[in-house]
Amino acid sequence: MTAAALRHDWTRDEVVALFALPFNELLHRAHSVHRAHHDPNAVQISTLLSIKTGGCPEDCGYCPQAARYHTGVKAEKLISMESVVARAQAAKQAGASRFCMGAAWRSPKDRDVVQVAEIVSAVKALGLETCATLGMLSGEQAQTLKQAGLDYYNHNLDTAPEFYDQVIHTRQYQDRLDTLEQVRQVGLKTCCGGIVGMGETRDQRAGLLQTLANLPEHPQSVPINQLVQVPGTPLHGTQALDPFEFVRTIAVARILMPQSMVRLSAGRQQMDDAVQALCFFAGANSIFYGEKLLTTGNPDVEHDRALFRRLDLHALEVVEEIDTVHTDILETEAVGSCGQSCGCAA
Ligand code: SAM
Ligand code: DTB
Ligand code: SF4
């Protein structure tokens, strides 16, 4: 399959029809799109750190960091630049190419953004790509972060517009779209996706992906999270999603946003290795790597290394828009951009 033109005019019916394809047909189509745009054996590695944990005033029904739910997460202040840099250094040594910093804010104060901007510059100086997720931003705040060297801003739409008010009541869908617009305006790349397994219908899963694909630009990174059910949150006890429906969601995301990195995000610890393998076949090409997400667990590093070996996957390092392969950490072969282990410099 050759690379197709990017579309921003998907109808709900078209997206629902993709979900409804026979499973093997859907995976074949998604994998064909994947191969036309990406090395099918390369997976980008991001490490996540919570730089300001808990005590959030929002009421997101899935989130252990909302102050109003009794989840056992202790509210903490913004951590020091030294601690972040030490964790970023360790992440780089462990093989991560991107370091993502998350803060449990509804929207940061200007003085918070100044502090985070200093942290971003220090992490960037280590040679890592930087990503931050701090809540809603003004245009000026986005500009401050851009100038500090931030590469990506993560701000998820989380679900379909029509399901949003069943999950979150303290802000509107439009607020999320507005922040994404500010972020794009200053030239930051967007990392934007959502959560599945929150009790939404298939039509609503299609609605999330339709909205993401119809944004003015496809988000460069699309994190697809499976709800991590945390006791004390309103969504704890929601009926779990059929794993094959999760794989379908990844496949449809790949078809709709062919050039984006589709990240198999939260929920991997609860996911069977075989399901993860299907997700990589269906077009997922990015993961969070490291034992913790923000407050919940992620697979052990050793487990992920073994999974990469079993599936012959290698870590992708992105250097100045040119994809190269990270060879030293995850015990992979050097691969030229021709996609083969032939030792060529292509
Ligand atoms: N406070 C900021 C915000 O909401 O944009 C940034 C941090 S927030 C924790 C980042 C994202 O984590 C959320 O948008 C949501 O998609 C994801 N998330 C939070 N709790 C989750 C859970 N229990 N399971 C899966 N994803 C979750
Ligand atoms: C995203 O889409 N998933 C990450 C990251 N962006 C910030 C967060 C997942 C959080 C899972 C729950 C927790 O660990 O607190
Ligand atoms: Fe706060 Fe973000 Fe959690 Fe919502 S998802 S409660 S905004 S930390």
Side-chain angles (χ1 to χ4, degrees):
M1 177 177 170
T2 51
L6 299 185
R7 283 185 56 189
H8 299 267
D9 59 353
W10 290 93
T11 66
R12 182 72 64 97
D13 285 350
E14 283 177 308
V15 182
V16 169
L18 288 172
F19 267 93
L21 284 171
F23 188 75
N24 287 341
E25 176 66 28
L26 173 60
L27 261 61
H28 173 71
R29 287 204 203 175
H31 188 71
S32 304
V33 171
H34 189 46
R35 298 187 76 87
H37 294 86
H38 305 272
D39 175 347
N41 304 308
V43 175
Q44 187 272 330
I45 306 284
S46 292
T47 290
L48 193 52
L49 177 68
S50 179
I51 59 170
K52 194 269 159 213
T53 305
C56 182
E58 299 277 71
D59 77 343
C60 312
Y62 46 78
C63 185
Q65 303 200 68
R68 67 190 72 201
Y69 309 136
H70 301 288
T71 62
V73 171
K74 241 180 58 212
E76 289 167 18
K77 293 201 175 114
L78 183 64
I79 64 178
S80 70
M81 149 114 70
E82 292 69 33
S83 338
V84 181
V85 167
R87 298 290 288 272
Q89 235 150 5
K92 188 176 182 197
Q93 259 156 26
S97 62
R98 190 178 309 167
F99 194 67
C100 308
M101 294 158 274
W105 284 317
R106 169 181 165 78
S107 47
K109 299 188 176 64
D110 287 345
R111 64 167 187 270
D112 298 325
V113 171
V114 169
Q115 279 182 280
V116 174
E118 284 168 8
I119 293 174
V120 165
S121 297
V123 172
K124 180 87 181 157
L126 300 174
L128 282 158
E129 286 188 316
T130 54
C131 178
T133 181
L134 315 172
M136 293 180 279
L137 290 187
S138 68
E140 275 176 27
Q141 291 177 331
Q143 185 64 42
T144 303
L145 292 167
K146 170 75 182 163
Q147 276 166 357
L150 189 69
D151 296 301
Y152 291 82
Y153 195 73
N154 168 240
H155 202 64
N156 291 338
L157 292 179
D158 282 331
T159 192
E162 71 273 19
F163 190 60
Y164 201 75
D165 66 2
Q166 290 184 49
V167 180
I168 300 157
H169 312 94
T170 49
R171 60 170 188 263
Q172 308 292 312
Y173 211 68
Q174 189 59 46
D175 296 326
R176 301 300 272 186
L177 295 170
D178 290 348
T179 290
L180 288 166
E181 178 60 21
Q182 305 287 9
V183 163
R184 281 191 303 268
Q185 285 291 325
V186 302
L188 283 166
K189 293 183 234 188
T190 56
C191 170
C192 182
I195 310 178
V196 297
M198 298 196 293
E200 74 285 344
T201 61
R202 175 181 275 184
D203 195 76
Q204 290 163 340
R205 281 186 285 285
L208 166 67
L209 298 183
Q210 178 200 8
T211 312
L212 291 169
N214 290 347
L215 287 169
E217 257 176 34
H218 291 172
Q220 285 81 5
S221 276
V222 180
I224 304 294
N225 298 276
Q226 175 170 274
L227 175 69
V228 178
Q229 299 209 11
V230 180
T233 58
L235 288 182
H236 180 245
T238 304
Q239 191 177 1
L241 192 67
D242 176 356
F244 298 132
E245 185 67 12
F246 185 84
V247 178
R248 283 181 193 266
T249 309
I250 295 278
V252 175
R254 168 51 67 223
I255 293 170
L256 264 47
M257 295 167 278
Q259 293 182 349
S260 304
M261 304 302 284
V262 173
R263 184 175 305 131
L264 186 48
S265 303
R268 277 199 313 119
Q269 197 177 41
Q270 294 74 18
M271 207 177 281
D272 196 76
D273 287 345
V275 173
Q276 292 191 55
L278 280 173
C279 289
F280 293 128
F281 184 78
N285 59 351
S286 171
I287 58 165
F288 284 123
Y289 177 68
E291 268 111 33
K292 209 166 170 197
L293 293 164
L294 292 172
T295 64
T296 65
N298 200 40
D300 294 344
V301 161
E302 276 316 315
H303 188 95
D304 275 343
R305 286 180 191 223
L307 185 63
F308 270 48
R309 276 197 297 271
R310 290 162 71 205
L311 300 178
D312 310 298
L313 296 172
H314 55 253
L316 179 77
E317 190 179 9
V318 183
V319 181
E320 291 176 2
E321 312 296 330
I322 300 165
D323 294 351
T324 58
V325 172
H326 200 88
T327 53
D328 50 337
I329 304 300
L330 291 172
E331 301 161 35
T332 57
E333 270 186 281
V335 179
S337 56
C338 71
Q340 305 299 317
S341 306
C342 57
C344 77

